[in-house]
């Protein structure tokens, strides 16, 4: 399948690596809103093209992987590009998924393309874990934990505080909460009991450390409901020790069955990722394969991971999967 | 959906409980090869019927859940019942799945029914974990661990030894192996390194314990390649402490991505089940729902969990799933 990339940041670079790991995929072009001459990619002999010229590539690309952000890029780009291509995106603003789905569905149906949105690990694989487990264990309770990993939103919130030069914030699941869930007791857990927030903060010269720490710890929505640890470090230390893109998390459903609901079952899915963007693009590429197949079968419109048969993600055919993997 | 059960053992009883947990399901009849008068079920006002009379129930049942064994029951029953009903089974002889699939597919296609085979947790949910993770991380390695739980086959093998009155064998995954896999080092693990076998054995009067222990530990295929612990206990102790049906296991894929494959990702799925048969029937019921929907959409033939879109397992519709679970 011939792959196009729209947007060349962390995700776009991740798709580039992922294509090399999948022999059935070939990178055809990278599309950018920047000046193409300013975008240096890692794959030789693949052109970088203006995003506005995408319509000239309609017959040359099977699936366009959209690597923009959920805040402003994807709400516009996904419906627009679904008019021309099969597309996959990693739209992750949970509350706006229904609206995004409707917009993309209208565009993709009209042009007979398949669009798969909200692909990644949450939403994405974590959604699958929640869907399978809740369908199988209707009498139960779901728990999702994130981390250990950097939260971009919380890091940004700290950087907006006066006196802060730079900051990284780690979301850390609390072991005692995970163990309580795994025990099958279906505990009611407060926000504070589930996750810890640890911040690494670089101060501006002459900033008031105590004041910054107080402002972080009392910030509504972001930190006030959590136990928060604040560490002040140098810019060098931040660059050296806190530039990683590791992330992960856990989805656990604890459910009961049988006479007097006496039997408990723990369904647990977890990810531990060295590189959040590279894993996300690995998921995107598998769903690009599915989008391409579904369109060849005559399907069109918007889908999510919940609508795609698992076998469609694989380069292997049904008989091979049944014989060796089932 | 109107559910029929064929075969009333541990699985059949499990389906009966599962139906009660799912408001969209109703148990219509239990079919048996025994004398119906000898089969006492837990649900009032549901008839127990001779398996041979099933054809009289064709219009009254949406999905027949087949609760027989894989050795001799299902290879005959699933194709036979797929001529009359949508069916789901838990056929678990991995090596014979392609042959079973072909037989069931021919029968189901001819009669315009949907049959979903090999539904449960392995094959079943563990197959899904292997399929998703290997499609997403093509450069990686899969590990499946089972237990802690009773292996029926190994318990039977011990019971066939002269001097043994009764026995239960637990398969136990070895923590050090799990940790080695989770470390991302992709270790090559021998059979002995992955699982331990612990046996609880009741001897006949005057049996030679040392001889029995030696026969167990040296039994080819079953025990010779493992570290095996043999405990001799009384029949009372066996009944009291080793009658449970708990089971579980782990599927872990460790894969690498990026420049020089420097980033490792751990994808882990695990189950910890108080009752193996009740969890299996919970999976069967969710796929019964899918079979019913797929047939109403005009599909027919044999499928496995790999072919079924996750959303089809849920009683909730697509919009609700997208809004609350994605």
């Amino acid at each position: 399948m011939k792959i196009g990339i729209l947007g060349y940041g962390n995700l776009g670079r991740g798709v580039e690596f992922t294509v090399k790991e999948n022999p059935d995929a070939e990178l055809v072009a990278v599309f950018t809103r920047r000046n193409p001459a300013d975008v240096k990619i890692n794959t030789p002999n693949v052109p970088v093209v203006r995003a506005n010229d995408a319509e000239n590539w309609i017959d040359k690309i099977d699936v366009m992987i959209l690597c923009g952000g959920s805040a402003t890029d994807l709400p516009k780009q996904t419906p627009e590009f679904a008019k021309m291509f099969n597309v996959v995106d990693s739209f992750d603003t949970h509350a706006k998924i229904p609206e995004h789905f409707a917009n993309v569905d209208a565009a993709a149906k009209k042009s007979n393309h398949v669009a798969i949105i909200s692909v990644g690990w949450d939403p994405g694989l974590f959604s699958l874990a929640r869907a399978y487990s809740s369908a199988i264990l209707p009498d139960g309770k779901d728990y999702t934990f994130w981390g250990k990993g950097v939260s971009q939103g919380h890091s940004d919130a700290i950087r907006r505080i006066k006196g802060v030069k730079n900051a990284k914030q780690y979301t850390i699941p609390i072991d005692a909460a995970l163990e309580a869930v795994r025990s099958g007791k279906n505990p009611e857990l407060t926000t504070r009991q589930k996750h810890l927030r640890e911040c690494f903060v670089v101060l501006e010269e002459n900033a008031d450390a105590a004041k910054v720490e107080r402002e972080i710890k009392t910030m509504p929505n972001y930190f006030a409901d959590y136990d928060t640890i604040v560490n002040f470090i140098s810019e060098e230390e931040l660059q050296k020790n806190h530039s990683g893109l590791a992330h992960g998390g856990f989805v656990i459903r604890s459910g009961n069955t049988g006479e007097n609901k006496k039997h408990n079952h723990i369904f647990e899915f977890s990810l531990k990722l060295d590189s959040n963007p590279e894993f996300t693009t690995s998921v995107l590429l598998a769903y690009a394969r599915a989008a391409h197949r579904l369109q060849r079968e005559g399907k069109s419109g918007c889908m999510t991971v919940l609508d795609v048969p698992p076998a469609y993600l694989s380069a292997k055919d049904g008989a091979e999967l049944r014989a060796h993997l089932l």
Side-chain angles (χ1 to χ4, degrees), chain A:
Chain A
M1 59 181 163
K2 297 182 195 320
I3 298 291
I5 293 173
L6 175 64
Y8 195 72
N10 277 338
L11 273 189
R13 269 188 297 275
V15 173
E16 209 180 354
F17 284 121
T18 305
V19 165
K20 288 179 194 156
E21 287 149 14
N22 287 273
D24 63 333
E26 179 197 349
L27 181 61
V28 172
V30 172
F31 297 84
T32 180
R33 287 173 302 182
R34 291 182 272 167
N35 179 357
D38 295 342
V39 177
K40 299 285 167 239
I41 68 169
N42 291 308
T43 315
N45 305 321
V46 167
V48 179
V49 183
R50 274 181 210 285
N52 287 339
D53 293 338
E55 62 188 326
N56 299 325
W57 291 75
I58 285 180
D59 297 332
K60 302 184 188 92
I61 286 173
D62 294 318
V63 188
M64 185 73 87
I65 301 184
L66 307 181
C67 298
S70 296
T72 55
D73 300 336
L74 297 175
K76 279 195 62 182
Q77 289 175 343
T78 314
E80 190 185 320
F81 279 76
K83 289 178 193 158
M84 300 181 274
F85 304 99
N86 297 316
V87 296
V88 288
D89 81 17
S90 60
F91 185 79
D92 66 359
T93 312
H94 287 262
K96 292 189 176 167
I97 286 173
E99 181 188 338
H100 188 55
F101 184 94
N103 293 339
V104 175
D105 192 48
K109 280 220 174 92
K110 214 169 178 176
S111 69
N112 285 317
H113 287 105
V114 169
I116 310 181
I117 62 160
S118 301
V119 173
W121 58 275
D122 196 1
L125 302 185
F126 276 20
S127 320
L128 288 172
R130 290 186 286 261
Y132 279 113
S133 64
S134 62
I136 290 163
L137 295 170
D139 180 9
K141 201 163 149 57
D142 268 353
Y143 297 83
T144 301
F145 293 86
W146 297 274
K148 182 184 173 178
V150 169
S151 162
Q152 215 48 64
H154 288 77
S155 301
D156 290 345
I158 299 172
R159 280 193 287 263
R160 285 192 295 265
I161 294 173
K162 203 181 152 192
V164 171
K165 189 178 161 212
N166 207 345
K168 280 280 167 83
Q169 192 271 181
Y170 294 94
T171 304
I172 305 171
I174 295 174
D175 279 340
L178 280 164
E179 288 311 316
V181 171
R182 289 181 185 130
S183 77
K185 288 177 193 145
N186 288 9
E188 290 292 337
L189 295 170
T190 62
T191 298
R192 192 180 302 273
Q193 285 171 320
K194 287 184 71 187
H195 295 94
L196 187 77
R197 299 206 174 275
E198 185 168 20
C199 316
F200 292 87
V201 180
V202 181
L203 291 174
E204 308 268 14
E205 248 179 88
N206 303 323
D208 179 343
K211 186 161 176 282
V212 168
E213 180 164 347
R214 202 164 50 239
E215 279 196 50
I216 295 173
K217 289 185 169 176
T218 58
M219 196 186 295
N221 302 318
Y222 285 86
F223 294 98
D225 298 334
Y226 296 84
D227 287 335
T228 302
I229 299 166
V230 178
N231 306 286
F232 293 105
I233 60 173
S234 68
E235 180 72 34
E236 295 68 42
E237 210 181 329
L238 189 85
Q239 296 306 332
K240 186 174 159 224
N241 298 330
H242 303 286
S243 295
L245 298 167
H247 218 310
F250 304 79
V251 174
I252 307 176
R253 188 171 180 91
S254 167
N256 287 74
T257 64
E259 204 168 6
N260 304 320
K261 304 175 189 276
K262 69 180 170 189
H263 292 130
N264 176 258
H265 309 288
I266 302 291
F267 177 115
E268 177 165 348
F269 175 61
S270 69
L271 291 171
K272 190 164 151 274
L273 311 173
D274 276 356
S275 167
N276 184 355
E278 281 175 20
F279 185 79
T280 298
T281 56
S282 299
V283 184
L284 282 165
L285 195 84
Y287 279 94
R289 182 180 290 123
H292 186 212
R293 284 202 193 162
L294 287 160
Q295 194 216 19
R296 279 179 299 169
E297 288 182 4
K299 302 282 196 311
S300 69
C302 189
M303 304 181 192
T304 75
V305 297
L306 303 176
D307 304 307
V308 178
Y312 280 62
L313 274 61
S314 175
K316 295 173 181 148
D317 72 10
E320 198 178 343
L321 291 174
R322 283 191 294 276
H324 300 294
L325 180 149
L326 193 68

